Amino acid sequence: MKAIVLAGGYATRMWPITRHRPKMLLPVGESTVIDGIVDELEGDDRVSEIFISTNEAFAGEFETHFEERGTDKITMSVEDTSDEDEKFGVVGALAQLVDREGLGDEDLLVIAGDNLFGFDISEFIDHFKEYDDPTLAAYDVGDLEKAKSYGLIQVEGDEIVDFQEKPDNPKSTLVSIACYAFPADAIRFEEYLAGDNNPDEPGWFIQWLVDQGSVRPFSFDDVWYDIGTADSYLDAVEFALEGGQMVADDATIENSKLGENVHVLPGATIKNSAVDNTVVFQDASITDADVSDSVIDVKASVDDKDLDSALLGQHTRVQ
């Protein structure tokens, strides 16, 4: 089977941190958001090729990242957009990628590149192969209000009998997490779009498939982080660091207190400060300050100023 990792979003809710970098390349512990997914896909012999689906704005960064990382399974597939307003929608982008890369003769695995989850992708593929029907990963968010933000599924036995995309009045808390497997005969994006259906969220396509035949759930109760906001990103970092700290060897820490969930990258400097639940990027500096629940970007500086829940962009100075 082939795999597609969706990495074409512009992550506007995390600007300025993601204004000039894809959020999938944000550090999460010793890895990045996307590398955890790619590592598992590369380790499964059933996956013969991995397509990184991204946009023109970020293609160069992904190419550089994966060249330095080294891989023989990855192919970059670049959609013809460079701005949020030009996007085709997820289903539209998938239809174009399938056509552009000549896919459709093999089973297809589709995963959003901003997912961090606890189950093994190989287990998900095992479950898919057991039925050979369209399959999606499902997670119980445990809260009806949270469920309104996701694609909601209703299960009877081992089949999905109803799918609602971001319902106003959710009937349950079991949601789809943007990890899908399709047998070759279900790769019908063009047919779906030809019916003037919604090209944006993949959930609408899943709802259409449910009306066409059997769709299977792969339910799991391990961790899952949908990294779409700064809060969810810091939650994912906390999980990776297990509440501790990760400090680069060449970072400078002087007369400072580092609390829980602090990641300090190479070249950063923290002096006479207290830092908690924060990622401090390369060559950033914090001096005489208290900083919490924040992301301090490359070569940004905080001097004699307390920050809480801040996103400080590259080269920004706060004093």
Side-chain angles (χ1 to χ4, degrees), residues 53-75:
S53 175
T54 189
N55 53 63
E56 290 180 337
F58 293 143
E61 293 197 47
F62 280 114
E63 288 170 356
T64 299
H65 176 78
F66 287 113
E67 283 175 4
E68 293 175 350
R69 181 181 187 275
T71 179
D72 58 0
K73 279 191 179 183
I74 287 179
T75 297

Side-chain angles (χ1 to χ4, degrees), residues 1-6 37 41 47 90-91 94 106-115 117 119 121 124-125 127-129 133-138 149-153 160 163-166 175-183 186-187 189 200-207 209-210 215-218 220 224 226:
M1 69 192 308
K2 307 287 190 184
I4 297 173
V5 180
L6 301 172
I37 294 172
L41 292 174
V47 178
V90 175
V91 182
L94 281 171
E106 296 181 67
D107 296 345
L108 188 63
L109 182 66
V110 179
I111 302 180
D114 55 0
N115 270 336
F117 41 71
F119 65 85
I121 293 177
F124 176 75
I125 296 175
H127 188 79
F128 162 64
K129 292 292 187 181
D133 288 325
T135 302
L136 58 82
S149 301
Y150 300 102
L152 187 69
I153 64 176
I160 296 171
F163 190 105
Q164 297 175 293
E165 183 64 38
K166 298 179 181 177
V175 305
S176 168
I177 72 154
C179 176
Y180 313 99
F182 304 104
I187 303 173
F189 305 122
D200 291 329
E201 299 290 346
W204 296 111
F205 176 67
I206 298 298
Q207 184 172 328
L209 283 180
V210 168
V215 178
R216 308 288 180 173
F218 172 82
F220 69 100
W224 170 54
D226 173 21

